[in-house]
Amino acid sequence: MDRGIAFTVNDADTETFTRISPTVIESAYESADGGGEVSKSLYVKGYYWVQSVTYDADGSLQPDSRMTYAYPGAAADLPDPEPLAEHRFDVVRSDDFGVVPEQQLHVFGDFETRDYGGCPFIALPSTIEYFEDGQSTGKDFMEYLPELGISLWVGSEFDGSKDEYTYKIKE
């Protein structure tokens, strides 16, 4: 992980994961049709999304692209991803819409085996549901790969639409 591991997403885009500290993983996502833009996200414990920013093709930070999540307490004290666990958090999201209190419900399934480009991995599926003022605003679907210490964002459900993402280890 120190050198990074790259995946193709939906047979077109690329997401590369790199360990940047003992508790933080960086994801760099580049869309095949994004004109060179790269979105970089930070995940504590390889799972908890704490920041994202987007850079243009010249490497300049795009204005208003930063989004951060502030969890209660120290990020390193967040619970480890584990089977059949459920965690609720009151978080603060800061983005171009301002500072917004949000609740998150993280529900983990049990370990399953997944195949990513011909490579079998143990995966821990989870659903993250987001709430504002007690109302659900949507869900993200993740698969935490404990062998690599990273999470793949395999789907989302917002505003009545559902997206799914297929990952393969990049050759």
Side-chain angles (χ1 to χ4, degrees):
M1 286 301 301
D2 294 333
R3 293 181 321 177
I5 183 168
F7 289 82
T8 57
V9 183
N10 295 344
D11 292 321
D13 303 339
T14 301
E15 186 167 13
T16 304
F17 296 89
T18 308
R19 179 171 308 285
I20 61 170
S21 81
T23 57
V24 178
I25 297 289
E26 180 184 73
S27 157
Y29 192 96
E30 188 170 355
S31 175
D33 61 359
E37 285 184 1
V38 176
S39 293
K40 292 188 176 185
S41 296
L42 298 179
Y43 294 89
V44 170
K45 296 191 173 183
Y47 174 79
Y48 297 99
W49 189 23
V50 293
Q51 178 179 282
S52 67
V53 294
T54 301
Y55 297 90
D56 64 22
D58 297 327
S60 298
L61 179 65
Q62 289 188 351
D64 301 325
S65 71
R66 182 178 306 274
M67 182 170 66
T68 60
Y69 281 104
Y71 287 84
D77 292 337
L78 288 165
D80 292 332
E82 59 186 19
L84 307 175
E86 185 174 301
H87 305 290
R88 291 181 184 273
F89 300 104
D90 289 322
V91 301
V92 175
R93 184 185 76 232
S94 177
D95 57 23
D96 59 331
F97 296 108
V99 176
V100 179
E102 178 179 275
Q103 297 76 42
Q104 294 182 1
L105 173 61
H106 297 249
V107 178
F108 293 89
D110 205 350
F111 287 120
E112 300 177 10
T113 302
R114 294 284 193 263
D115 184 298
Y116 291 109
C119 297
F121 286 92
I122 299 298
L124 182 58
S126 71
T127 300
I128 306 168
E129 188 167 7
Y130 303 93
F131 298 87
E132 290 180 24
D133 299 322
Q135 299 295 318
S136 177
T137 59
K139 297 178 183 180
D140 283 323
F141 305 97
M142 309 292 283
E143 289 190 351
Y144 177 72
L145 306 179
E147 296 166 90
L148 300 175
I150 64 172
S151 293
L152 306 179
W153 199 343
V154 297
S156 61
E157 200 172 276
F158 288 88
D159 300 324
S161 66
K162 186 172 183 176
D163 295 312
E164 293 182 359
Y165 310 104
T166 304
Y167 283 76
K168 294 179 186 171
I169 292 181
K170 192 167 183 170
E171 302 289 325

